[in-house]
Amino acid sequence: MILVFGGTTEGRKVANMLDTVALPYFYSTKTNVAFTGKGTPIYGEMTTELLEAFCREHKITHIINASHPFAVQLHQMVANIALDILVLRFQRKFLPRTSHPLVFYVDSFEEALEFFKTNKYQSLLALSGVQTITKLKSYWQMYTAWFRILDRDSSRAIAAQSNFPVTNLIFGYPQSKTEEIELFRQIAPQVVFTKESGSNGKLEEKIQAALELDLPIVILKKPELSNRYIRLETEEELVERVTK
C-alpha cells in the first residue's frame, strides 16, 4: 500500500498516475479538500507516532511526499520515520536562481525582516501565502503591507487570527507576468516578497514583473530536503519506483 502526501498539483499528478497503473493508495492532506481520485482520501495533521502507527496498520511500503516545498515539518517528519519504508519526493521543477541587482534571496524570515529594515522599506507586497502573515508580523505592525492569499474560508480564518487588516488582503493565485505587473502598479509597494516556489508558483513571472517595474524582490529560498528522500521529477521515474 502507498501513502501519498498531496494537496498540490504534484499530488494530483501522483494520484492520476497511481490510478492509471491501478495501484491502491491513501491520499493525505492537511485539510479536507475535494478529491476525485480512486485512492482513499484522509486528512488532518499527523505526528510521528501517528504516522508510524498508520503505516504499520495499513502495511505502507512507499511514502510519496508530493506536498508543498515549504511544508517543512511534514518533510522532516516523513524523513525521520523509523520504519523500513521507501521515501520518495515527487517535486516540482525549479529554474536556476536569477542573478540581478534587484533580486535578493534569503535563507529565513529573520533575514528578510533585517533586509527590509536595512533598506528602510515602508511598504511591502507579500506573495508568500497566508501562513507567512504571522512570520512578518513585526513588519506589518509598523508599516503598510498587503498579502495575497487564497480565497477560501481557512485562509481568511488564519488571517483573522493574526489580526491582519482585512482591507489589505488580496485574494487570488499567482498570475501571468502581465497580470502581476498590473497588480504591482496598483499596489505600488517599495518591495515585493515571495517564496522560491518553483514553476507551479509562477516564480519567474513574479520576478520578471518586478524587474519590469524596477521593484526589488526578496525571495525566501526553498528548504533543503533530507538525504533520505529519493527525488523524482517525472511520472515515468515514479512509476518505475513504485512498480518494481
Side-chain angles (χ1 to χ4, degrees):
M1 180 65 82
I2 297 170
L3 172 60
V4 179
F5 286 100
T8 58
T9 301
E10 292 76 30
R12 290 189 289 274
K13 287 182 179 179
V14 171
N16 289 337
M17 182 276 294
L18 294 175
D19 289 342
T20 299
V21 297
L23 287 175
Y25 63 96
F26 291 95
Y27 188 83
S28 175
T29 54
K30 186 175 181 179
T31 58
N32 189 7
V33 299
F35 177 69
T36 58
K38 297 178 182 177
T40 302
I42 59 174
Y43 69 93
E45 292 191 59
M46 287 191 185
T47 63
T48 300
E49 293 75 16
L50 287 174
L51 175 59
E52 291 181 352
F54 183 90
C55 290
R56 290 192 187 97
E57 179 183 355
H58 297 282
K59 297 181 173 56
I60 300 298
T61 58
H62 299 70
I63 294 178
I64 305 175
N65 184 353
S67 63
H68 194 277
F70 284 84
V72 178
Q73 291 182 326
L74 175 58
H75 298 327
Q76 293 174 343
M77 179 181 67
V78 172
N80 293 335
I81 188 171
L83 297 173
D84 185 18
I85 292 176
L86 196 62
V87 177
L88 309 174
R89 171 63 175 162
F90 188 70
Q91 59 190 11
R92 61 188 62 176
K93 294 182 179 180
F94 292 86
L95 295 173
R97 288 174 179 159
T98 300
S99 178
H100 190 281
L102 289 175
V103 180
F104 307 92
Y105 292 87
V106 295
D107 292 308
S108 65
F109 287 99
E110 291 75 18
E111 186 179 346
L113 288 166
E114 185 61 31
F115 185 85
F116 301 152
K117 179 181 178 180
T118 299
N119 289 277
K120 299 180 180 179
Y121 296 130
Q122 297 187 30
S123 62
L124 164 74
L125 172 58
L127 308 176
S128 48
V130 71
Q131 299 289 350
T132 63
I133 290 179
T134 56
K135 301 288 188 181
L136 299 177
K137 191 168 186 174
S138 63
Y139 179 90
W140 56 260
Q141 284 182 322
M142 295 180 62
Y143 304 108
T144 303
W146 297 266
F147 281 80
R148 182 166 65 194
I149 69 174
L150 297 179
D151 189 5
R152 60 189 184 192
D153 291 341
S154 58
S155 294
R156 294 174 189 272
I158 292 171
Q161 288 169 5
S162 302
N163 294 316
F164 186 78
V166 67
T167 53
N168 284 34
L169 291 175
I170 302 166
F171 300 100
Y173 291 90
Q175 303 295 319
S176 67
K177 173 186 171 182
T178 300
E179 290 167 314
E180 297 290 30
I181 288 174
E182 182 179 346
L183 174 64
F184 295 178
R185 281 183 173 147
Q186 176 188 344
I187 298 299
Q190 290 185 350
V191 63
V192 175
F193 177 72
T194 191
K195 291 178 176 178
E196 190 178 21
S197 51
S199 55
N200 286 2
K202 296 192 175 180
L203 177 60
E204 188 65 20
E205 286 81 351
K206 297 172 188 175
I207 293 173
Q208 293 305 315
L211 297 184
E212 183 82 14
L213 300 179
D214 291 324
L215 271 175
I217 181 168
V218 178
I219 303 167
L220 181 66
K221 295 177 186 176
K222 60 181 172 57
E224 296 297 324
L225 283 174
S226 165
N227 289 330
R228 182 173 182 183
Y229 281 103
I230 298 172
R231 296 165 174 80
L232 308 170
E233 290 187 351
T234 68
E235 283 112 315
E236 291 76 17
E237 292 175 309
L238 191 57
V239 169
E240 182 179 355
R241 283 287 179 178
V242 298
T243 57
K244 68 178 181 180

